[in-house]
Amino acid sequence: MTTLQLQGQKVTIDQGELVGYVVEGHEYMHQKGSPGWRSTDTEMFPIIGPTAEANFRVWTLKGEAVLDQHGLLREMPYELKRSSTTMALFQKEYKAGTRVRNSKYPKKSTEKELQWPYDFRFRKQFNLTPQGLEITFTISGEEGMPFMLGYHPAFKLYTETPLIRTGNRNIDLTEVLAVGNRALHLPDSHGVSLTDKKELHVETQGFGHFMFWTEVPNMVCMEPISFYPYTVAQKDLHEGFEVLGEGERRFDVFIRPV
């Protein structure tokens, strides 16, 4: 377990997963074991969305990849590279074609193992600042590698009437619940606010969109995404890929309590 602390803020990280963010005694993150979801955060990479209707196959220029929902990154363990009282850097590395055990098999998937035809390195860095928590994702690997990226954090809810605000739109929890597993899409957005017992701002760079998901009234996932997967059929998910250039790609999430 890795702990960061600064000026009344405490961040708890379990093998790269953000499992707690407490500010002046108030916990902002959904807790494992509570109704709703077994995790607190995860990453969706190199694809976002379900692949079952496409027989778990995704087209790439280097051949078909075998991917389950949201890709294979979350099936791989993080390695802690370095840390301090206010910073922690975690990393995952993947060699093209390596078979990765699929935790959804056999109950929720027919695929025992997943694989991807490109090398990549994925870094997740936490920085605790006086203004809040900054999470930076850095992707490097083969030039021309296709990918999508989504960040999937779950926030704890305390009241019966939480409100998500962005620009001139207000979204209440009933709207999110009504959409179900497809998640409520918010296109062309770089920041949202959650008003509950406390107020929280989530700002992003590099993603471009959000989607919101929950099946229970005690938590909500506010997820920055590079592509909303339900705009295409599952067999055409490759249409939402971005392409990695010569250098690294960086994506940022800023979680700022009010």
Side-chain angles (χ1 to χ4, degrees), residues 13 66 89 91 99 104 112 128 130 135 144 150 152-153 200 211 236 242 248:
I13 307 162
V66 182
L89 173 62
Q91 180 174 296
R99 296 179 181 272
K104 291 182 174 291
K112 187 175 183 179
L128 191 55
I135 306 172
H152 193 312
L200 186 73
M211 63 183 184
D236 298 322
E242 299 184 25
E248 297 179 335

Side-chain angles (χ1 to χ4, degrees), residues 28-30 37 39-41 152-156 219-222:
Y28 283 96
M29 307 309 298
H30 166 70
W37 190 37
S39 301
T40 304
D41 88 348
H152 193 312
F155 297 95
K156 185 174 182 178
M219 58 154 264
V220 65
C221 296
M222 304 193 300

Side-chain angles (χ1 to χ4, degrees), residues 166 169 184-190 208-211 228:
T166 177
R169 182 178 178 185
L184 180 64
H185 183 207
L186 181 67
D188 304 318
S189 178
H190 302 280
H209 316 276
F210 274 87
M211 63 183 184
Y228 181 67

Side-chain angles (χ1 to χ4, degrees), residues 203-223:
E203 302 164 11
T204 70
Q205 292 180 357
F207 289 91
H209 316 276
F210 274 87
M211 63 183 184
F212 308 104
W213 171 81
T214 190
E215 295 180 341
V216 294
N218 59 279
M219 58 154 264
V220 65
C221 296
M222 304 193 300
E223 309 169 36

Side-chain angles (χ1 to χ4, degrees), residues 24-120:
E24 302 296 345
H26 181 85
E27 175 64 78
Y28 283 96
M29 307 309 298
H30 166 70
Q31 297 297 286
K32 292 185 177 184
S34 296
W37 190 37
R38 65 180 180 178
S39 301
T40 304
D41 88 348
T42 194
E43 289 78 53
M44 301 174 283
F45 180 88
I47 203 162
I48 303 170
T51 57
E53 291 182 10
N55 195 31
F56 303 99
R57 266 58 180 176
V58 178
W59 182 87
T60 79
L61 286 173
K62 294 182 69 173
E64 283 189 330
V66 182
L67 298 175
D68 212 309
Q69 181 161 330
H70 298 328
L72 54 66
L73 186 77
R74 61 183 182 174
E75 302 288 3
M76 300 164 52
Y78 271 114
E79 176 186 0
L80 177 62
K81 302 300 289 185
R82 61 178 182 268
S83 65
S84 68
T85 56
T86 59
M87 183 277 294
L89 173 62
F90 295 84
Q91 180 174 296
K92 297 183 182 187
E93 285 196 82
Y94 180 79
K95 182 68 175 176
T98 301
R99 296 179 181 272
V100 176
R101 178 183 173 273
N102 184 11
S103 63
K104 291 182 174 291
Y105 175 85
K107 291 185 177 180
K108 296 183 178 180
S109 176
T110 60
E111 298 301 317
K112 187 175 183 179
E113 296 176 320
L114 310 174
Q115 58 178 313
W116 179 244
Y118 296 85
D119 298 337
F120 67 79

Side-chain angles (χ1 to χ4, degrees), residues 113-199:
E113 296 176 320
L114 310 174
Q115 58 178 313
W116 179 244
Y118 296 85
D119 298 337
F120 67 79
R121 183 179 70 185
F122 189 96
R123 286 187 163 187
K124 180 181 186 180
Q125 182 167 324
F126 298 88
N127 288 293
L128 191 55
T129 75
Q131 292 75 39
L133 178 62
E134 300 179 359
I135 306 172
T136 297
F137 304 100
T138 307
I139 301 165
S140 57
E142 295 183 43
E143 185 176 358
M145 181 184 76
F147 72 94
M148 304 173 196
L149 176 63
Y151 178 47
H152 193 312
F155 297 95
K156 185 174 182 178
L157 297 176
Y158 291 84
T159 74
E160 296 180 356
T161 56
L163 194 65
I164 298 168
R165 294 184 294 107
T166 177
N168 59 1
R169 182 178 178 185
N170 292 335
I171 302 169
D172 63 36
L173 198 63
T174 59
E175 291 183 68
V176 181
L177 287 163
V179 177
N181 284 333
R182 293 173 67 91
L184 180 64
H185 183 207
L186 181 67
D188 304 318
S189 178
H190 302 280
V192 298
S193 296
L194 175 62
T195 302
D196 190 44
K197 185 178 179 180
K198 300 277 189 176
E199 188 168 346

